[in-house]
């Protein structure tokens, strides 16, 4: 009987979540998480609404302000959110800010193209804000509405305005503009994790949006730092490519560019068509790694899709044809492949589509089949025009691609060695790898250890069930500068490829990795930092999904050990050392500064850096692939002058320099 009563009680406690309640109860379903990434996602949702107005041709400028109190203000000069009462019985403003799935993004709504799929952006931000305010300029009038969600214990009131939409008689504010919308919100830190706004992250996204939407002026005002940044790119994607290549030596001066609009037939709908726009820009540089980025409605499709496939197919076909016509390549030669045309290519493919179909929840890959032939045709038209009108530059490009093909063939045997019949065949593993006994990749981890000395301690101190050790001798080759055949002839590179077991480049398959965690463990000094960035450069250029799926980590070894009698404390920073010194202020203690991992015995290395219970690991992530690309090129590429200038300007800020 008691059990039946408990079941009845549980059943009676079930209630239906209404309005915006589900957002506050399960925020991760709407913005991914509640940490720094989710916090900034709130900004993107409001900004994207203003961008939608710009893409529709109604807004020319967007101003984002980080206020001194920590709120965010997004202002645009679009049409202004509709203020009239809708069929549902509430005003358009209330529908946009209070109702899920109630934007101009459904059916034949206000937007032909939108970055969002579900029309939930502004309402989700409202639900996750302590308060939100909106001003709307429309038809010569100024309207205002306000929301307050401070009382989190009365969820049914979430999203209900504390001040209903009303017309303001404010001559000063009314004179600011003729039409547009201003939204200000303060995140609710009872739900979101408390954190500061990352102005650099916001600036990077706004700058990217300015590139992708040429002719739109975007401004970021940071009242906390008292700074103002502004972006306006009349050249759009051409300037974007130019910016990505600024720290690279370009192969030819011309940036191939074109845009085209067409009415495409909707798949599975025989009589329906819709307008799609493609904008493409690309240029070759003298490097060996590709920088190809695709977007759909301003969303970075990190895993590519049909728009990117169409672009690459066109390049492969035309370069093969031109190479044969100009006798740069013989008919009997191996054909040029997608791998070959990508070497040294910087490209941006941007699609504006009214009905994008993405694969998966992350919008990482575009799936619309009708887009593939469309981008193929657009790329073919602009590239063929370039080849015919610029014969000298065309031959330089074709020769580079043919050389890439020859290098690929030379390195094929080496790369084939990375493919094994069984990913756990110990006979095919590199000799220096000390593998773990567990064969379940989901719990296995591999430490990439700097030097044989530290490698020896790591082997003795590890848990051999799930921890593998791969010692690296010295500094690996800088893949940002090296040719393909040199990279795959490098012993350290090949040892990592073989041990990880998922191949490289376009053939990399993240589902075949042998270890859930690949942990870089280097000394806490300048050389250790250099080795770490060399390894990250290799992973970013040749195993990017390994980083994107969260499998790459950096171990954090202690900097100091403080002895006081039989007690000891490990310090991972100077500030932590001061805390430990204060703890033993009236006692005699000895401080040991660790110069390298090799100074630790196996027990110390396990306790401080390898034990899951006590270690510190930093997961390596990519928030902005384009920015990461630029930073790797800047730090690791051939052009030395910008780095020298950077060092000269920033040398005074260096705090930890080995002498």
């Amino acid at each position: 009987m008691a059990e039946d009563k408990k079941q009845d009680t549980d059943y009676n406690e079930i209630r239906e979540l209404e309005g915006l309640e589900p957002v506050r109860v399960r925020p991760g379903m709407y913005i991914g998480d509640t940490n720094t990434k989710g916090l900034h996602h709130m900004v993107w949702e409001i900004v994207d609404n203003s961008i939608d107005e710009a893409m529709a041709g109604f807004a020319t400028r967007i101003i984002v302000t980080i206020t001194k109190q920590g709120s965010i203000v997004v202002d645009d000069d679009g049409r202004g959110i509709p203020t009239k009462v809708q069929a549902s019985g509430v005003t358009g403003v209330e529908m946009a800010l209070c109702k899920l799935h109630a934007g101009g993004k459904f059916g034949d709504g206000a937007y032909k193209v939108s970055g969002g799929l579900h029309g939930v952006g502004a309402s989700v931000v409202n639900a996750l804000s302590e308060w939100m305010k909106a001003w709307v300029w429309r038809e010569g009038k100024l309207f205002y509405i306000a929301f307050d969600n401070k009382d989190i214990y009365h969820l049914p009131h979430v999203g209900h305005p504390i001040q209903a939409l009303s017309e303001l008689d404010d001559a000063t504010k009314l004179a600011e503009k003729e039409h547009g919308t201003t939204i200000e919100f303060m995140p609710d830190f009872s739900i979101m994790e408390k954190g500061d706004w990352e102005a650099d992250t916001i600036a990077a996204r706004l700058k990217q949006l300015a590139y992708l939407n040429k002719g739109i002026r975007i401004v970021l005002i940071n009242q906390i730092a008292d700074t103002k940044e502004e972006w306006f790119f009349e050249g759009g994607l051409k300037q974007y490519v130019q910016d990505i290549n600024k720290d690279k030596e370009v192969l030819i001066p011309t940036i191939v560019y074109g845009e085209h609009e067409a009415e495409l037939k909707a798949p599975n709908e025989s009589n329906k068509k819709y307008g799609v726009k493609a904008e493409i820009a690309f240029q070759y540089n003298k490097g060996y790694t590709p920088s190809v980025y695709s977007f759909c409605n301003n969303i970075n499709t990190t895993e590519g899709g049909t728009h990117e496939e169409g672009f690459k197919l066109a390049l492969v076909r035309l370069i093969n044809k031109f190479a044969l016509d100009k006798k740069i390549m013989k008919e009997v030669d191996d054909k040029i492949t997608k791998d070959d045309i990508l070497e040294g290519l910087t490209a941006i493919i941007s699609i504006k589509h009214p009905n994008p179909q993405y694969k998966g929840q992350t919008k990482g890959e575009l799936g619309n089949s009708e887009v593939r032939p469309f981008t193929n045709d657009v790329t073919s038209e602009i590239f063929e025009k370039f080849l015919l009108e610029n014969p000298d530059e065309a031959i330089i490009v074709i020769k580079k691609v043919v050389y890439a093909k020859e290098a690929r063939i030379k390195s094929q045997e080496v790369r084939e060695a990375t493919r094994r019949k069984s990913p756990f065949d110990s006979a095919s593993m590199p000799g220096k790898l000390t593998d773990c006994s567990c064969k379940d990749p989901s719990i296995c981890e591999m430490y990439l250890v700097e030097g044989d000395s530290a490698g020896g301690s790591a082997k003795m101190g590890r848990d051999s069930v799930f921890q593998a050790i791969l010692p690296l001798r010295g500094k690996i080759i800088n893949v940002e500068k090296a040719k393909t055949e040199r990279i795959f002839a490098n012993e350290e590179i090949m040892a990592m490829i073989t041990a990880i077991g998922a191949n490289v480049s376009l053939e990399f398959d993240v589902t075949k990795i042998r270890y859930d965690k690949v942990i870089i463990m280097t000394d806490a000094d300048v050389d250790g930092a250099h080795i770490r960035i060399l390894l990250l450069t290799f992973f970013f250029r040749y195993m990017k999904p390994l980083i994107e799926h969260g499998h790459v980590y950096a171990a954090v070894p202690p900097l100091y050990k403080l002895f006081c009698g039989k007690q000891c404390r490990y310090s991972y920073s100077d500030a932590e050392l001061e805390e430990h010194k204060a703890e033993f202020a009236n006692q005699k203690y000895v401080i040991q500064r660790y110069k390298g991992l090799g100074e630790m015995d196996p027990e110390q290395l396990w306790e401080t850096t390898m034990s899951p219970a006590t270690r510190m690991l930093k997961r390596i992530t990519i928030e902005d692939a384009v920015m990461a690309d630029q930073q790797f090129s800047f730090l690791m590429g051939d052009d030395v002058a910008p780095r020298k200038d950077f060092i000269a300007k920033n040398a005074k800020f260096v705090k930890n320099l080995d002498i």
Side-chain angles (χ1 to χ4, degrees):
M1 290 294 291
E3 185 177 342
D4 291 340
K5 185 177 180 180
K6 177 67 170 61
Q7 290 177 344
D8 288 342
T9 302
D10 289 345
Y11 180 81
N12 291 331
E13 288 176 353
I14 296 174
R15 65 186 180 90
E16 182 181 357
L17 299 178
E18 299 179 356
L20 297 180
E21 290 181 71
V23 183
R24 291 176 71 90
V25 175
R26 296 286 186 269
M29 293 177 60
Y30 297 87
I31 60 170
D33 55 46
T34 57
N35 59 22
T36 300
K37 188 174 182 179
L39 187 67
H40 287 77
H41 190 88
M42 296 173 71
V43 183
W44 313 151
E45 290 289 1
I46 302 300
V47 170
D48 283 349
N49 288 338
S50 296
I51 289 292
D52 288 342
E53 278 290 284
M55 288 196 294
F58 297 105
T60 60
R61 64 122 183 93
I62 299 166
I63 301 174
V64 178
T65 303
I66 305 172
T67 71
K68 289 184 178 180
Q69 64 178 328
S71 64
I72 293 289
V73 182
V74 180
D75 174 84
D76 68 54
D77 62 349
R79 291 167 291 182
I81 304 173
T83 56
K84 293 181 180 179
V85 176
Q86 306 296 303
S88 61
V90 299
T91 65
V93 175
E94 289 178 81
M95 285 186 65
L97 301 182
C98 307
K99 305 290 185 182
L100 295 174
H101 312 293
K105 305 177 183 182
F106 294 90
D108 299 320
Y111 300 123
K112 292 181 179 180
V113 172
S114 171
L117 279 177
H118 310 301
V120 300
S123 57
V124 165
V125 176
N126 187 6
L128 297 176
S129 294
E130 182 179 320
W131 51 259
M132 175 184 276
K133 304 172 184 177
W135 295 262
V136 177
W137 288 257
R138 193 176 175 95
E139 299 173 353
K141 299 177 181 180
L142 172 61
F143 299 87
Y144 174 76
I145 191 170
F147 304 85
D148 195 316
N149 297 320
K150 288 180 182 177
D151 189 354
I152 64 172
Y153 300 104
H154 294 83
L155 290 178
H157 297 289
V158 171
H160 291 194
I162 59 167
Q163 183 171 335
L165 185 71
S166 59
E167 186 177 347
L168 295 183
D169 185 18
D170 186 335
T172 302
K173 200 165 185 64
L174 188 59
E176 288 182 9
K177 54 190 173 184
E178 295 181 1
H179 47 78
T181 302
T182 299
I183 292 179
E184 182 176 8
F185 69 92
M186 174 67 79
D188 188 340
F189 291 111
S190 69
I191 297 175
M192 306 301 294
E193 293 181 19
K194 181 66 177 177
D196 296 328
W197 295 110
E198 296 177 355
D200 289 345
T201 298
I202 296 174
R205 175 59 177 160
L206 297 181
K207 184 179 181 181
Q208 184 181 75
L209 288 170
Y211 280 127
L212 294 168
N213 300 275
K214 62 182 179 181
I216 298 173
R217 192 173 303 278
I218 302 181
V219 180
L220 174 62
I221 298 172
N222 186 348
Q223 293 181 352
I224 298 173
D226 193 23
T227 59
K228 179 179 178 180
E229 296 178 85
E230 187 170 324
W231 302 278
F232 177 82
F233 301 113
E234 192 63 48
L237 298 193
K238 288 184 71 173
Q239 286 179 264
Y240 203 176
V241 168
Q242 189 176 37
D243 192 21
I244 294 173
N245 273 344
K246 68 181 180 182
D247 295 318
K248 304 174 183 178
E249 188 177 357
V250 297
L251 186 69
I252 57 171
T254 301
I255 297 175
V256 183
Y257 173 83
E259 57 182 320
H260 187 68
E261 293 186 55
E263 292 287 320
L264 301 185
K265 178 183 174 183
N268 304 321
E269 297 182 48
S270 56
N271 298 320
K272 187 173 182 179
K273 290 186 176 182
Y274 39 61
V276 179
K277 179 180 178 181
E279 187 179 5
I280 296 168
F282 61 97
Q283 181 186 40
Y284 277 92
N285 59 67
K286 293 184 179 180
Y288 305 103
T289 55
S291 301
V292 178
Y293 302 99
S294 57
F295 299 83
C296 180
N297 300 347
N298 298 316
I299 296 170
N300 185 192
T301 43
T302 55
E303 297 174 29
T306 51
H307 51 339
E308 197 170 310
E309 290 169 8
F311 167 77
K312 292 174 182 176
L313 287 170
L315 259 61
V316 169
R317 180 177 57 81
L318 285 173
I319 290 178
N320 269 304
K321 180 179 181 300
F322 196 92
L324 290 172
D325 290 346
K326 297 297 181 181
K327 295 183 172 47
I328 300 173
M329 188 173 73
K330 296 178 181 179
E331 192 72 46
V332 295
D333 290 348
D334 288 349
K335 291 290 187 280
I336 288 165
T337 68
K338 282 192 289 187
D339 276 355
D340 305 326
I341 61 104
L342 290 176
E343 191 169 289
L345 174 65
T346 297
I348 305 290
I349 305 105
S350 178
I351 294 287
K352 303 293 172 62
H353 198 299
N355 187 30
Q357 304 297 319
Y358 298 99
K359 297 180 180 179
Q361 295 296 317
T362 61
K363 301 181 184 179
E365 183 178 357
L366 185 66
N368 297 69
S369 59
E370 75 280 7
V371 169
R372 188 185 294 104
F374 176 53
T375 52
N376 190 321
D377 291 344
V378 175
T379 306
S380 296
E381 181 181 336
I382 64 175
F383 191 42
E384 191 164 27
K385 185 173 184 289
F386 161 77
L387 293 173
L388 294 174
E389 294 181 357
N390 305 272
D392 293 341
E393 290 188 4
I395 288 174
I396 294 173
V397 168
I398 303 301
K399 284 185 176 180
K400 177 179 176 61
V401 176
V402 171
Y403 292 153
K405 181 202 71 171
E406 293 171 351
R408 170 179 56 83
I409 294 171
K410 289 179 182 177
S411 62
Q412 195 67 40
E413 290 184 7
V414 182
R415 295 178 67 173
E416 284 294 333
T418 67
R419 300 189 182 95
R420 305 189 309 281
K421 292 181 180 180
S422 167
F424 298 109
D425 180 6
S426 60
S428 62
M429 289 292 100
K432 58 174 66 181
L433 174 70
T434 302
D435 213 348
C436 52
S437 59
C438 179
K439 303 304 179 185
D440 181 358
S442 66
I443 62 174
C444 294
E445 51 190 47
M446 178 176 69
Y447 276 82
L448 300 174
V449 185
E450 174 189 353
D452 291 334
S453 176
S457 292
K459 289 175 186 177
M460 290 187 286
R462 70 181 178 133
D463 185 325
S464 62
V465 174
F466 67 96
Q467 291 179 324
I469 307 296
L470 181 63
L472 300 175
R473 184 178 56 197
K475 296 178 179 178
I476 70 164
I477 191 171
N478 181 0
V479 301
E480 192 72 19
K481 296 180 179 181
K483 293 183 178 181
T484 306
E485 61 265 33
R486 280 195 62 214
I487 293 170
F488 293 110
N490 182 271
E491 183 180 342
E492 308 298 313
I493 292 287
M494 286 309 304
M496 287 189 292
I497 295 173
T498 307
I500 292 170
N503 220 301
V504 290
S505 302
L506 295 179
E507 298 171 5
F508 184 83
D509 184 351
V510 74
T511 66
K512 294 182 179 179
I513 60 174
R514 301 180 66 244
Y515 309 96
D516 182 69
K517 291 183 176 68
V518 177
I519 304 168
I520 301 170
M521 188 163 70
T522 59
D523 293 343
D525 59 13
V526 172
D527 281 338
H530 189 203
I531 292 170
R532 185 164 59 249
I533 194 65
L534 286 168
L535 289 167
L536 291 177
T537 304
F538 168 68
F539 289 139
F540 181 78
R541 292 305 188 192
Y542 288 91
M543 295 183 176
K544 189 185 291 184
L546 196 68
I547 303 178
E548 292 173 333
H549 289 265
H551 296 292
V552 180
Y553 295 78
V556 183
L559 296 176
Y560 307 96
K561 182 178 181 180
L562 185 149
F563 303 86
C564 185
K566 294 183 178 180
Q567 299 184 71
C568 75
R569 298 289 187 273
Y570 293 103
S571 305
Y572 293 82
S573 66
D574 289 335
E576 192 173 12
L577 175 63
E578 293 303 316
E579 292 177 7
H580 292 155
K581 287 165 66 176
E583 182 182 348
F584 300 99
N586 299 320
Q587 305 172 56
K588 291 184 178 181
Y589 56 78
V590 177
I591 297 174
Q592 178 185 356
R593 169 66 164 96
Y594 286 117
K595 294 289 185 180
L597 298 168
E599 295 182 9
M600 297 186 197
D601 60 37
E603 290 75 17
Q604 291 174 335
L605 196 57
W606 166 256
E607 182 182 354
T608 63
T609 319
M610 300 185 72
S611 169
T614 55
R615 70 188 179 188
M616 291 176 60
L617 293 181
K618 291 183 178 179
R619 174 179 277 176
I620 307 300
T621 61
I622 304 174
E623 295 298 329
D624 185 334
V626 180
M627 182 185 293
D629 186 329
Q630 291 172 299
Q631 288 301 309
F632 276 114
S633 297
F634 174 72
L635 294 170
M636 309 301 290
D638 287 313
D639 196 351
V640 177
R643 282 199 295 278
K644 291 178 66 176
D645 183 56
F646 176 82
I647 292 170
K649 289 180 179 178
N650 294 279
K652 60 183 178 181
F653 302 114
V654 174
K655 294 182 179 179
N656 298 306
L657 182 65
D658 291 345
I659 299 177

